[in-house]
Amino acid sequence: MKAGGLKRRVLLQGGSIALMLGVHQIARGATILAVRVWPAADYTRVTIESDARLTSQQLVVGSPPRLAVDIEGIELNSELRELVGKIKPGDPYINGLRVGQNAPTVVRIVFDLKQTVRPQVFSLAPVAAYKHRLVLDLYPEQAIDPMEALIAERLRDAPKPGSGINNGSSVAGIAPSAPAAPVRPATPAGDPLGDLMAQQSMRPGPAAPAPPVVAGADRPSAPPVLVAPAPLPPVVGTAPVKPVSPPVAVARGGATASRTDRIIIVALDPGHGGEDPGATGPSGTREKDIVLQVAFRLRDRINAGSVNGNPMRAFLTRDADFFVPLGVRVQKARRVQADLFVSIHADAFTTPAARGASVFALSQSGASSSAARWLANKENDADKVGGVNVGNHEAQVQRALLDMSTTAQINDSLKLGGAMLGEIKGIGARLHKGQVEQAGFAVLKAPDIPSVLVETAFISNPEEEANLRRVDYQESLADALMRGIQRYFAQNPPLARSRQL
């Protein structure tokens, strides 16, 4: 009995030691599951996903600019090595990177940068399909101003002097060239944006933005220029592009040297993006890709349209596959002083039977239905999936701005939503609800911009998913949304307000 008891005691002690070693090993090491890179003009994001929380330290080195990141408690594996090949030549911020085992349990990643950056490094807890994530956001030292980007785009699209276009008249907000010495155009108080554009058009040198920086080239300290949108994801079927519907407007002459146009700005907000794919259809179609396609098509129609003779211009909160926090989407629209805000989405539900398009406005007193409340909660969780640095002071300020919406803004949003809903029904699309619904969507809380969220269809429904992938259906949707915008402005002319730049 004595010998047997001793043997059991030894086995128990051995098992305890083995268990302690196992716990220590689990605490010490994490496994890298995936790495992803999301380059964009606004910022580049690098995401490292793992099965346990990662601890890191970073150091910024200048001349040439580099960022060194040490990740503790891991060993170099094939997933981390793949990070090198994920850096694309067109990345505005990363020229290349090196990764290696700097110490027995420390992996070092060195980013060779094209310009100095303001890095934000933070961790995200598991959510949705993701495990733990270490996020590295590389922002330019001087943030891109959405207003400057919009002006640069407008100037880039302007006819060149001597091209014979417009027969001497100017494009919106830009005074025509004259043989005499340039004189700064006097503009009415109604649109300082046009005045600023006219000033920029008189600056020496080409009006178009500078070309993108190539790898290894010296880069000035100015903020990076927005690059052209990435090619549209593949779609099923083809159809000729439909002509843009004629705007509800009366013709008049263009701007003159003493007068510039009142530009009507419509902010288009393609939902989700980057780390946040949005909903996924039965065939794998991602919401973030579809809504970006629809936004591009609607942008082209807006840029070719006018309201009472005043030219229109679309501004996209994102023009590529990257994540934009909900508060930043609102902030961008307010910065360009948009006249309207249209957020574009594709709905999903737990069963494939749900179908139909919907339009939503903000509610300050509760949702109009349980379905609207459920959808708003789901859309408002986008920041958790996409990944927001909640400790950032700017993010806290943005959240505070989202609580300033007014009754007048909501009433105007309902009018805009009603016009759009009627036009969507007019193309033969099924409506999920026959009236504009309301709920507390965070992205609709701009206090001074009529704002709607359009759920184009249920991407979780196989038939509607197939429709959303078709070019002709996307064209029809863009046509309907454009007509809805025109109808709204026909009944609610834009104010000749003074823009505070």
Side-chain angles (χ1 to χ4, degrees):
M1 288 295 294
K2 225 171 179 185
L6 180 61
K7 186 174 180 180
R8 284 193 299 272
R9 190 176 299 112
V10 170
L11 288 172
L12 288 171
Q13 289 175 345
S16 299
I17 292 172
L19 182 60
M20 290 172 62
L21 286 173
V23 171
H24 173 72
Q25 184 69 22
I26 292 171
R28 183 180 67 83
T31 301
I32 303 302
L33 304 175
V35 293
R36 295 178 290 274
V37 181
W38 308 101
D42 287 30
Y43 71 103
T44 288
R45 167 168 289 189
V46 178
T47 304
I48 301 173
E49 187 176 359
S50 59
D51 61 356
R53 183 184 174 91
L54 298 176
T55 302
S56 67
Q57 297 182 3
Q58 58 275 348
L59 174 67
V60 177
V61 181
S63 190
R66 285 162 291 161
L67 171 66
V69 180
D70 286 347
I71 305 175
E72 303 170 1
I74 64 171
E75 294 181 355
L76 187 61
N77 66 359
S78 58
E79 281 75 15
L80 276 173
R81 290 190 179 94
E82 288 179 1
L83 190 57
V84 176
K86 291 181 180 289
I87 304 302
K88 304 303 180 185
D91 191 307
Y93 303 103
I94 304 176
N95 195 38
L97 65 81
R98 291 156 282 156
V99 58
Q101 194 78 45
N102 190 51
T105 60
V106 177
V107 168
R108 171 168 292 179
I109 305 174
V110 179
F111 295 89
D112 298 313
L113 303 172
K114 294 179 179 178
Q115 59 175 297
T116 53
V117 299
R118 292 185 298 107
Q120 292 186 15
V121 182
F122 55 98
S123 296
L124 296 171
V127 63
Y130 293 125
K131 302 293 185 181
H132 293 269
R133 286 176 288 171
L134 178 67
V135 177
L136 295 83
D137 286 346
L138 307 182
Y139 288 90
E141 204 167 37
Q142 182 177 349
I144 294 176
D145 183 355
M147 178 71 84
E148 291 287 344
L150 183 65
I151 292 171
E153 180 185 279
R154 185 68 174 151
L155 292 174
R156 182 191 66 207
D157 294 345
K160 301 297 184 293
S163 65
I165 300 176
N166 285 348
N167 297 320
S169 65
S170 69
V171 295
I174 305 172
S177 59
V183 179
R184 176 177 170 179
T187 60
D191 191 15
L193 171 59
D195 182 48
L196 179 57
M197 292 178 65
Q199 294 174 38
Q200 295 209 4
S201 71
M202 291 302 181
R203 293 178 182 173
V213 172
V214 296
D218 293 333
R219 183 179 180 90
S221 59
V225 177
L226 291 178
V227 296
L232 298 180
V235 296
V236 175
T238 57
V241 177
K242 295 183 179 180
V244 178
S245 301
V248 181
V250 294
R252 66 164 178 81
T256 67
S258 62
R259 177 167 171 262
T260 56
D261 292 310
R262 157 62 156 108
I263 300 174
I264 310 302
I265 299 174
V266 180
L268 301 180
D269 176 49
H272 310 281
E275 287 282 289
D276 177 18
T280 302
S283 298
T285 308
R286 300 181 302 187
E287 178 182 3
K288 67 175 183 177
D289 298 329
I290 293 297
V291 298
L292 186 59
Q293 289 185 18
V294 174
F296 284 155
R297 302 183 195 283
L298 181 54
R299 174 195 62 186
D300 294 342
R301 285 155 172 76
I302 291 172
N303 288 349
S306 64
V307 174
N308 294 326
N310 293 302
M312 302 177 72
R313 197 73 191 175
F315 171 80
L316 269 65
T317 59
R318 73 174 179 97
D319 59 1
D321 188 10
F322 67 101
F323 176 72
V324 183
L326 298 175
V328 175
R329 295 170 189 261
V330 176
Q331 186 183 49
K332 283 185 171 186
R334 298 191 75 209
R335 174 56 187 144
V336 301
Q337 297 166 29
D339 295 280
L340 298 179
F341 180 91
V342 181
S343 192
I344 305 173
H345 291 256
D347 214 340
F349 197 61
T350 53
T351 64
R355 59 189 303 166
S358 304
V359 179
F360 295 86
L362 181 66
S363 171
Q364 290 181 316
S365 58
S368 56
S369 68
S370 57
R373 184 183 306 107
W374 176 85
L375 180 62
N377 291 337
K378 183 171 71 75
E379 297 293 358
N380 291 346
D381 280 344
D383 279 356
K384 297 178 182 178
V385 180
V388 170
N389 184 4
V390 294
N392 183 19
H393 173 70
E394 292 179 1
Q396 298 171 11
V397 173
Q398 290 154 10
R399 282 195 297 272
L401 286 174
L402 297 184
D403 295 324
M404 297 167 54
S405 296
T406 64
T407 301
Q409 182 259 22
I410 293 176
N411 289 338
D412 286 340
S413 301
L414 289 170
K415 295 175 185 176
L416 172 61
M420 285 187 158
L421 202 62
E423 294 297 337
I424 293 173
K425 182 179 180 180
I427 65 173
R430 182 185 180 118
L431 300 183
H432 188 66
K433 292 279 186 169
Q435 67 280 342
V436 180
E437 294 201 81
Q438 292 181 261
F441 291 90
V443 80
L444 300 182
K445 291 186 178 182
D448 45 7
I449 308 173
S451 305
V452 295
L453 186 146
V454 179
E455 294 285 358
T456 53
F458 273 85
I459 201 171
S460 53
N461 179 285
E463 181 182 350
E464 296 199 342
E465 178 194 22
N467 286 340
L468 288 172
R469 291 173 58 88
R470 284 173 29 219
V471 172
D472 60 333
Y473 192 78
Q474 291 180 15
E475 296 282 353
S476 296
L477 274 175
D479 284 338
L481 296 178
M482 182 63 183
R483 287 193 298 268
I485 292 172
Q486 292 168 335
R487 274 184 55 190
Y488 170 80
F489 278 130
Q491 299 170 4
N492 305 273
L495 300 176
R497 67 187 181 192
S498 175
R499 298 181 187 272
Q500 301 299 318
L501 297 179

